[in-house]
């Protein structure tokens, strides 16, 4: 049996409420016998944390987020690593990147890589990184400097907002990459230039944390003003989530159709969305909960009637993959109304286990919401089908087995 070597996992920020899928994976790897050490490029900003973060045993330390904040630490690291055999090749790659992308951010990544190598734990033999954009830039430079093999998990924004040339070079240099949607897999496979080192593995859920919901939901139809249909959405208030479209769709529903919308999550667009809701006259029908931990979110899945998210592709190419919150909602028998963007269609199928519409189409979205609000039997039929698919195909243990196989195969080739 191949020995499980210690892995340094490089993260953009840790812990983060919006990245439960990463925390879940880290805990799964620990339970599979992998010793981990976590290194983050940013300190936490969330005021809350999920229970899973407290179960992860790995040590966590932080790189300087901005080089000018810790100049002596960065200078000491550069002095130390400049004597390594790989420093010259890393510096050459860095200058080639700077010529194509001259930015302070590029210099920051090289400095962070130097610190990572200088402070590398002696008992670690592998570097794995989440996100193929800026964290993978740090990983690539660090790997060159230290001659340490590295691998990467790519997700959504990091794929679609990165330049093709940069993705190609990272895929050429990393041992392998794994991604969580078929559409992302196809894009990265195209850019891997025949290396066949890109693998598809859905994150899935820890179904022990999301057990079957054995309760029953009221057969609300939107006819009773004192018992409105409860619509839930969970997600950061950012443009790719399409909350402006969702609010506009809600505003077009007939005034005699009774519903209440609850949003869970933080995000930079929250104040703008609240202003839009006021402009649309929706104040009395909305509740903004802010960020909540996983236990509170689970309770909202179970007390709501339907889940809605209007995902879109933004002007810079950013988009969701398969939002984990939609998988969570489906696991609890909560029917989903969403769009056909990106990896959503890899779990959800219109009229079979959800109602899906084209993104940006306010009228279509309003029509789907209207149908779902009025028809409790439709909600039951669609949600039952979606929950069965989640439990048969989206168990996170499958993802951990995929990663275990990939790490084991890579390590067996090392002399």
């Amino acid at each position: 049996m191949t020995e499980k070597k210690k892995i340094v996992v490089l993260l953009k920020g840790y812990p983060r409420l919006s990245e439960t899928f990463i925390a879940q994976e880290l805990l799964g790897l620990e339970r599979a016998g992998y010793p981990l050490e976590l290194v983050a490029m940013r300190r936490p900003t969330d005021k809350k944390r999920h229970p899973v973060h407290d179960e992860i045993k790995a040590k966590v330390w932080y790189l300087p987020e901005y080089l000018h904040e810790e100049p002596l630490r960065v200078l000491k690291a550069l002095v130390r690593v400049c004597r390594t055999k790989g420093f010259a090749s890393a510096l050459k790659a860095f200058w080639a990147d700077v010529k194509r992308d001259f930015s302070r951010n590029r210099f920051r990544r090289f400095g962070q890589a130097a610190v990572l190598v200088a402070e590398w734990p002696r008992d670690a033999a592998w570097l794995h990184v989440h996100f193929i954009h800026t964290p993978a830039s740090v990983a690539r430079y660090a790997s060159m400097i230290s001659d340490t093999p590295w691998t990467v998990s790519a997700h959504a924004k990091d794929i679609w907002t990165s330049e093709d040339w940069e993705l190609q070079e990272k895929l050429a240099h990393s041992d392998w990459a794994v991604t969580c949607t078929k559409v992302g897999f196809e894009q990265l496979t195209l850019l891997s230039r025949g290396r066949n080192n890109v693998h598809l593995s859905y994150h899935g859920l820890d179904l022990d944390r999301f057990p079957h919901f054995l309760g029953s939901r009221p057969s609300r139809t939107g006819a009773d003003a004192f018992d409105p249909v409860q619509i839930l959405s969970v997600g950061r208030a950012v443009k790719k989530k399409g909350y402006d479209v969702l609010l506009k769709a809600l505003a077009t529903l007939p005034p005699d159709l009774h519903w209440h919308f609850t949003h869970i999550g933080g995000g930079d667009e929250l104040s703008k969305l609240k202003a839009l809701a006021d402009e649309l006259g929706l104040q009395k029908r909305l509740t903004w909960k802010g960020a909540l931990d996983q236990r509170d979110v689970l309770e909202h899945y179970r007390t709501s009637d339907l889940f809605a998210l209007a995902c879109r592709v933004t002007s810079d190419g950013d988009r969701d993959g398969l939002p984990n919150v939609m998988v969570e909602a489906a696991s609890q028998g909560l029917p989903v109304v969403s769009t056909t963007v990106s990896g959503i269609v890899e779990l959800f199928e219109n009229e079979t286990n959800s109602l899906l519409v084209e993104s940006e189409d306010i009228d279509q979205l309003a029509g789907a919401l209207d149908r779902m609000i009025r028809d409790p039997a439709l909600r039951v039929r669609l949600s039952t089908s979606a929950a069965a698919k989640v439990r048969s195909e989206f168990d996170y243990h499958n993802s951990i087995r995929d990663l275990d196989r990939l790490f084991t195969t890579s390590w067996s080739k090392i002399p």
Side-chain angles (χ1 to χ4, degrees), residues 109 135 200 206 220 268 294 301 368:
R109 301 311 167 212
L200 172 62
D206 181 348
R220 299 180 176 114
D268 297 338
Q294 199 172 62
Y301 289 144

Side-chain angles (χ1 to χ4, degrees), residues 153-216:
S153 287
H155 301 290
K157 177 180 180 178
D158 52 327
I159 298 173
W160 303 108
T161 61
S162 296
E163 297 289 343
D164 286 354
W165 63 263
E166 189 157 18
L167 293 176
Q168 287 170 346
E169 293 185 0
K170 289 171 180 175
L171 291 169
H173 190 259
S174 59
D175 197 73
W176 46 261
V178 64
T179 191
C180 51
T181 64
K182 186 177 179 181
V183 65
F185 167 76
E186 291 172 346
Q187 173 72 356
L188 292 180
T189 298
L190 180 66
L191 296 173
S192 69
R193 296 176 171 176
R195 275 199 69 197
N196 295 319
N197 65 332
V198 180
H199 305 271
L200 172 62
S201 181
Y202 294 106
H203 293 305
L205 292 183
D206 181 348
L207 295 174
D208 290 335
R209 296 182 192 275
F210 292 89
H212 282 286
F213 175 50
L214 300 178
S216 59

Side-chain angles (χ1 to χ4, degrees), residues 216-280:
S216 59
R217 290 184 170 87
S219 296
R220 299 180 176 114
T221 63
D224 187 348
F226 297 100
D227 190 23
V229 169
Q230 299 296 317
I231 306 171
L232 176 69
S233 191
V234 183
R236 288 179 301 125
V238 293
K239 289 182 179 179
K240 68 180 177 181
K241 300 294 183 180
Y243 280 119
D244 56 329
V245 175
L246 180 54
L247 291 176
K248 291 173 184 176
L250 290 170
T252 67
L253 294 174
D256 61 345
L257 190 63
H258 302 289
W259 52 267
H260 189 88
F261 175 78
T262 299
H263 174 263
I264 296 174
D268 297 338
E269 298 281 311
L270 204 53
S271 59
K272 292 181 181 179
L273 292 173
K274 290 179 179 180
L276 175 61
D278 290 347
E279 181 184 324
L280 295 170

Side-chain angles (χ1 to χ4, degrees), residues 349-401:
E349 183 179 351
N350 185 44
E351 300 287 353
T352 299
N353 61 9
S354 63
L355 294 182
L356 302 182
V357 302
E358 296 296 319
S359 67
E360 310 289 353
D361 194 318
I362 294 170
D363 291 339
Q364 277 193 23
L365 183 59
L369 290 167
D370 189 294
R371 281 184 63 196
M372 201 77 93
I373 290 170
R374 295 180 187 276
D375 192 344
L378 175 66
R379 299 199 297 268
V380 170
R381 177 176 68 81
L382 297 178
S383 63
T384 300
S385 178
K389 188 168 184 178
V390 167
R391 296 194 174 275
S392 64
E393 299 181 26
F394 287 83
D395 185 331
Y396 93 110
H397 289 94
N398 296 331
S399 175
I400 299 302
R401 282 191 287 268

Side-chain angles (χ1 to χ4, degrees), residues 6-7 151 226:
K6 185 173 188 178
I7 305 170
T151 46
F226 297 100

